[in-house]
Amino acid sequence: KMGRDSDDPYEGPPHEVTVKAFYLDEKEVTNKQYAEFVQATGYKAPTDWANGSFQPGTGDLPVVNVDWRDARAYAEWAKKRLPTEEEWEFAARGSDGRLYPWGNEWVPGNAYTKESKLLTLQPVGSIPSGASPFGIFDMSGNVWEWCEDNFRPYPGSTAEAKDANYKIIRGGSLGDDKTDATATYRNWVPPERKYEALGFRCAKSVE
């Protein structure tokens, strides 16, 4: 079951979807991994890097300042793809439909959000207690993550069908409140935009 009933009309109504078997990266793509892609292909580096290289000591941080096409280019190079919104939510919620990756209640210390009072991004995979039922790290907080899909209201929704060319992002970030870091909260931005709080992870279909 995808979505939930909440004060946000774009989170609902809850509805059943079918998700085929897939793989999802345990962690978000890091600066170090993205640098391998840049070096191998000559692709442009993220805008926050200096002279085409990430800052020393930040190799294990999630890569940011990449737009949707940048993320997609990396995924294709890695012989993967971006996850669909349905896949992302299922991986975060598990088969029991939890609200956060670890359960239905907010647990301080399980995610890097505004409540953490941290000012800088943290290394991927550094909060094992915040992992989803499938062992996927950082699906709540630290950085938002690009999904493959264009934004659309859910079936049966009365919410306004706006921003149809925008891409879905999920998961919340270090600067967002815990209410934006649930496994059901939806956000969407123009595909060409780059943000200091937006990265991605890759998925792969099961053949």
Side-chain angles (χ1 to χ4, degrees), residues 16-29:
E16 291 188 358
V17 297
T18 299
V19 179
K20 295 181 179 180
F22 67 100
Y23 298 106
L24 188 68
D25 286 350
E26 288 182 341
K27 302 173 184 177
E28 294 148 343
V29 175

Side-chain angles (χ1 to χ4, degrees), residues 29-45:
V29 175
T30 64
N31 283 323
K32 188 186 304 179
Q33 291 171 319
Y34 200 82
E36 294 176 2
F37 162 63
V38 170
Q39 292 164 5
T41 64
Y43 199 86
K44 62 184 182 293

Side-chain angles (χ1 to χ4, degrees), residues 7 37 46 81 90 98 106 115 123 136 153 163 165 182 193:
D7 293 334
F37 162 63
R81 58 176 174 79
F90 180 62
R98 53 189 61 186
W106 174 253
E115 289 76 14
I136 311 296
D163 304 327
N165 294 321
T182 67
R193 292 295 299 272

Side-chain angles (χ1 to χ4, degrees), residues 79-161:
K79 295 180 172 55
K80 300 179 185 180
R81 58 176 174 79
L82 295 180
T84 67
E85 185 179 17
E86 290 85 354
E87 289 172 338
W88 194 98
E89 184 168 321
F90 180 62
R93 300 187 77 182
S95 56
D96 56 356
R98 53 189 61 186
L99 183 59
Y100 292 98
W102 55 85
N104 287 318
E105 301 296 329
W106 174 253
V107 177
N110 273 7
Y112 297 122
T113 59
K114 196 172 184 178
E115 289 76 14
S116 307
K117 298 182 179 179
L118 296 171
L119 300 178
T120 57
L121 296 179
Q122 300 299 305
V124 302
S126 53
I127 310 184
S129 60
S132 83
F134 302 107
I136 311 296
F137 295 91
D138 304 315
M139 299 198 83
S140 178
N142 212 19
V143 295
W144 291 94
E145 300 178 17
W146 286 111
C147 290
E148 175 67 25
D149 313 72
N150 285 16
F151 166 73
R152 66 188 186 282
Y154 287 150
S157 172
T158 58
E160 182 182 355

Side-chain angles (χ1 to χ4, degrees), residues 41-54:
T41 64
Y43 199 86
K44 62 184 182 293
T47 53
D48 59 317
W49 291 14
N51 299 317
S53 300
F54 57 83

Side-chain angles (χ1 to χ4, degrees), residues 25 37 72-81 202 204:
D25 286 350
F37 162 63
R72 214 162 183 250
Y74 173 93
E76 290 176 0
W77 171 79
K79 295 180 172 55
K80 300 179 185 180
R81 58 176 174 79
C202 296
K204 191 172 184 178

